[in-house]
Amino acid sequence: MTSEQGTIRLPRELDDVPGWFPVLDQLLFDWLLNRQEVAGERGDLLEVGVYMGKSAIFLGRHLQEGEAYTVCDLFESDAPDDANAAEATKSYRSTLTRQAFEANYLSFHDELPRVLQGPSSIVPGEVKPRSCRFVHIDASHLYEHVEGDITAARDILLPGGLVVLDDFRSEHTPGVSIAAWEAVLNRGLNPICLSTQKLYGTWDDPEPIQEALLEMVAERDDCHVSNQQAAGHRIIRLKSKGMKAPAFPNSRHWTEPPPPAPAPAAPKPQPPARPRPPRPPQSSARKLAVDLLPPLVTRAIRKARAGK
């Protein structure tokens, strides 16, 4: 397969996929999912709002045998209301297509997840209740939509399941902030931790995960951590300090970069120029003649001497 498919540039590595998935969140996804798998927890995966597939590709690597993986996005479909349509047009309508997402995803995986094309409101009718162990919500930023997505996640998650809410603190997404903290204050959602972009939570006891998370972070020197209490909840805030992304396989389109061009050879040193012999000093009589003769005669004499 070539590296170009129509107008879609196929990624060679995860960083080539457009989208917003900070290194700290890659670490947290990897650690939380690995923790579930080591503990023998099983359940399906769900991502609501995939854009070009960066986090969906990462999440798909943790799909275990017998589990289902579902993603949902509008892609080219019509939005369910004018506000959502305006949001989609402003944010990504010109770039997001289902073809682009699928091409990116298949660059890293052999099979696509189950793809739901439409608004996130279709998810409750398509994903069974109490079937998922991990849900990532990164769809509309409008309060009414996010509130519905959180409700769906609560009903879809298994006991001990995890939900991740994107953009809960961005200045341009107040609807997400209101819906997220409303769920914490009034709907039983317990924060596990906060990254600079995402809120990680559960409707079960967060303390065992929090203690294990703090132990993991204490062994690193690239993550700042702070503990706070708010409205009866323990809030763990994490921030990257030059953190590197966890290892992730290159895509099927990966090619080794060409070797660097050899440095140009240094110029050979040139032998030093031979100094010109000093001119013999003029006699006093010659100096006097030069001074007294007309310039025209002087130049003629010099020219004649030079030709000898």
Side-chain angles (χ1 to χ4, degrees):
M1 182 180 288
T2 63
S3 62
E4 301 287 339
Q5 196 176 71
T7 58
I8 301 171
R9 183 171 181 82
L10 298 177
R12 292 169 172 80
E13 54 186 345
L14 189 65
D15 279 348
D16 292 340
V17 181
W20 305 270
F21 193 32
V23 168
L24 173 58
D25 291 301
Q26 293 182 39
L27 171 74
L28 290 171
F29 270 51
D30 205 43
W31 183 81
L32 289 166
L33 288 158
N34 280 331
R35 185 175 183 275
Q36 288 181 329
E37 291 148 22
V38 169
E41 298 179 24
R42 301 188 62 79
D44 298 338
L45 309 176
L46 171 65
E47 179 162 288
V48 183
V50 299
Y51 188 50
M52 303 294 277
K54 193 166 191 174
S55 57
I57 291 165
F58 193 95
L59 186 54
R61 191 182 177 203
H62 286 273
L63 184 65
Q64 301 178 106
E65 186 176 355
E67 295 178 337
Y69 182 19
T70 302
V71 301
C72 178
D73 209 300
L74 274 175
F75 300 112
E76 300 94 334
S77 298
D78 293 333
D81 54 63
D82 292 343
N84 194 205
E87 177 188 33
T89 299
K90 180 179 180 181
S91 299
Y92 54 77
R93 180 63 77 186
S94 62
T95 57
L96 176 60
T97 66
R98 180 166 176 171
Q99 181 188 15
F101 164 75
E102 292 182 350
N104 286 335
Y105 193 91
L106 290 174
S107 296
F108 295 87
H109 299 285
D110 294 332
E111 296 181 1
L112 289 169
R114 182 188 180 206
V115 179
L116 303 178
Q117 182 167 340
S120 59
S121 57
I122 68 176
V123 169
E126 297 289 341
V127 181
K128 294 179 180 179
R130 301 175 75 83
S131 62
C132 290
R133 62 183 172 101
F134 194 97
V135 174
H136 180 214
I137 298 176
D138 187 11
S140 172
H141 297 148
L142 301 174
Y143 167 79
E144 294 78 10
H145 294 263
V146 182
E147 190 270 342
D149 294 341
I150 293 173
T151 299
R154 181 193 63 193
D155 297 339
I156 286 168
L157 281 172
L158 289 159
L162 307 176
V163 64
V164 183
L165 306 178
D166 186 66
D167 277 333
F168 81 102
R169 62 189 293 181
S170 299
E171 61 182 358
H172 66 288
T173 59
V176 182
S177 300
I178 294 171
W181 291 116
E182 179 186 62
V184 171
L185 294 173
N186 301 326
R187 304 173 64 193
L189 180 62
N190 297 306
I192 295 170
C193 67
L194 312 178
S195 70
T196 52
Q197 190 164 317
K198 301 181 189 289
L199 184 153
Y200 296 75
T202 179
W203 274 273
D204 293 278
D205 182 7
E207 186 173 358
I209 305 177
Q210 289 179 320
E211 292 299 326
L213 176 63
L214 290 173
E215 289 180 11
M216 182 273 287
V217 172
E219 297 175 355
R220 306 179 65 99
D221 59 3
D222 57 0
C223 187
H224 175 76
V225 59
S226 69
N227 267 289
Q228 298 182 23
Q229 290 287 332
H233 293 276
R234 183 188 195 183
I235 308 294
I236 297 175
R237 292 195 312 116
L238 303 174
K239 185 176 181 180
S240 168
K241 296 192 301 183
M243 184 180 292
K244 294 183 179 180
F248 195 86
N250 294 320
S251 88
R252 64 183 77 253
H253 311 296
W254 170 261
T255 54
E256 290 290 341
K268 294 181 178 180
Q270 298 295 323
R274 297 177 62 184
R276 298 178 63 182
R279 296 178 62 183
Q282 290 182 326
S283 65
S284 299
R286 183 174 295 176
K287 288 182 179 179
L288 180 63
V290 169
D291 292 337
L292 296 178
L293 288 174
L296 182 63
V297 176
T298 301
R299 286 197 295 270
I301 294 173
R302 287 175 173 169
K303 185 176 182 180
R305 286 176 178 172
K308 290 182 178 179

